[in-house]
Amino acid sequence: MNADDVLNYLREHPDFLGQHGEIFAEVTVPHPHGGQAITLAERQLHALRDKIRQLESKLAELIRFGEENDEIGEKVHRLCLTLIEAPDYAILHHGLIRSLKDDFSVPHVGLRIWNGMPGSEHMFPAVSEAVRSVASDLHQPYCGAPTNLELLEWLGEAAPHVRSVALVPLRWGAEVFGLLVLGSEETERFYPGMGTLYLSRIGDLVATALRRTCG
């Protein structure tokens, strides 16, 4: 009889160990973390403790993520109230920039609208067709290294120092009529693969508010 035979027998007779509980105290195995040999019962206790530690670590991680999401949700809520209460574009723009900088710690923000939106001609500089094309091709916010010099120029004097950006398209239905650019000197502030759910929601809020105040 070899090891495979023993394993097969135990699988075919799952009640064997229950009928012969004394074996747990008689058979010894190596300690999982080194040291002397221990009984099967002690080995099972160590395995359970390791599993509990893993579950506790996972639970702590889930709680931390939940708290972070609650905090972000509260910030988005405050931004929403700011945009709703803004009676005109000037106050909306001021509230948006303040919220993004103070609540979301985004140091540099650029915003443009186009496509014949009322007010866009005198409120915003002209935007090239290349940038409009970039914005129209975004199915979700882009996060990563800046690749367009014109977009960086929207961030003013900080442009040469910006190392990561988030490009948030502003839509009304299927049409993209603007772009929100968030910039940071930190390479990992906006990175490829990061979650964009809240960025998308912020884009929707800003787009709706702009349609109301500029339309």
Side-chain angles (χ1 to χ4, degrees):
M1 178 179 290
N2 56 34
D4 289 338
D5 294 330
V6 175
L7 289 173
N8 290 333
Y9 179 84
L10 291 176
R11 291 192 180 104
E12 293 171 2
H13 302 81
D15 58 342
F16 175 82
L17 294 177
Q19 296 173 356
H20 302 277
E22 69 278 1
I23 196 171
F24 288 103
E26 298 173 359
V27 177
T28 60
V29 294
H31 192 288
H33 305 299
Q36 63 184 9
I38 57 176
T39 65
L40 284 176
E42 290 175 305
R43 178 65 178 82
Q44 185 65 15
L45 283 175
H46 282 288
L48 289 173
R49 288 168 182 159
D50 288 342
K51 186 64 175 180
I52 289 171
R53 280 193 289 268
Q54 293 173 11
L55 292 174
E56 289 176 340
S57 176
K58 186 64 176 179
L59 178 60
E61 182 181 31
L62 291 174
I63 292 174
R64 178 171 59 82
F65 286 154
E67 291 174 344
E68 290 176 354
N69 284 334
D70 286 345
E71 184 178 354
I72 295 174
E74 177 62 27
K75 293 175 181 179
V76 172
H77 176 68
R78 289 200 296 269
L79 172 60
C80 182
L81 294 178
T82 296
L83 298 178
I84 289 174
E85 293 170 353
D88 54 44
Y89 172 75
I91 294 177
L92 182 152
H93 185 265
H94 175 75
L96 172 63
I97 301 300
R98 187 184 69 247
S99 175
L100 291 173
K101 289 187 175 182
D102 294 347
D103 272 347
F104 295 92
S105 301
V106 177
H108 312 294
V109 182
L111 174 67
R112 298 286 188 278
I113 61 176
W114 57 81
N115 278 0
M117 276 281 291
S120 61
E121 295 83 359
H122 66 270
M123 277 193 282
F124 297 100
V127 177
S128 71
E129 287 297 328
V131 166
R132 296 188 189 194
S133 177
V134 168
S136 296
D137 289 341
L138 291 175
H139 300 295
Q140 62 184 18
Y142 163 85
C143 297
T147 59
N148 186 292
L149 292 179
E150 181 179 346
L151 292 177
L152 279 178
E153 291 175 357
W154 297 5
L155 304 179
E157 296 179 354
H161 310 291
V162 170
R163 295 295 177 264
S164 66
V165 297
L167 309 181
V168 185
L170 305 178
R171 287 188 173 85
W172 187 253
E175 178 187 32
V176 175
F177 68 88
L179 188 65
L180 178 65
V181 179
L182 312 179
S184 172
E185 288 88 349
E186 299 176 14
T187 304
E188 297 301 319
R189 179 64 173 85
F190 302 107
Y191 57 89
M194 70 179 291
T196 58
L197 174 62
Y198 285 110
L199 286 173
S200 295
R201 289 180 177 175
I202 289 173
D204 292 340
L205 290 172
V206 173
T208 301
L210 285 171
R211 293 284 302 190
R212 177 176 60 83
T213 58
C214 298

